[in-house]
Amino acid sequence: YDLDTLRQMAIALKRDHPDSSEASVLLEPQIEYDHLIQVMDAMRTVAMSEAGQPYRAELFTAISIGDAP
């Protein structure tokens, strides 16, 4: 899975919708639990740096999980 592209898309969405904190992840039955966690981590926060100081910025922290149609 291309988590870097997902993270970049989440950053762009957050830039367009800064007040939104909700996201939904729809899973197919064959998706492994570890992959779900990696996707959620990519959508939840992102590593940033300001004035040489690293920090984690929040993206979408309220993630709902469901079954894909």
Side-chain angles (χ1 to χ4, degrees):
Y1 301 100
D2 188 353
L3 296 175
D4 289 331
T5 298
L6 173 62
R7 187 174 294 108
Q8 293 305 313
M9 292 176 70
I11 291 168
L13 284 168
K14 187 64 172 186
R15 195 174 300 126
D16 292 343
H17 306 281
D19 295 330
S20 181
S21 63
E22 299 174 355
S24 296
V25 176
L26 301 180
L27 297 172
E28 294 181 351
Q30 71 273 17
I31 302 298
E32 295 180 22
Y33 181 75
D34 185 54
H35 292 152
L36 166 64
I37 299 305
Q38 291 176 35
V39 166
M40 291 174 65
D41 286 345
M43 296 174 60
R44 187 174 292 126
T45 62
V46 63
M48 304 288 284
S49 177
E50 185 173 309
Q53 296 297 319
Y55 68 96
R56 297 212 59 88
E58 291 184 350
L59 296 173
F60 300 97
T61 56
I63 300 174
S64 300
I65 302 168
D67 293 329

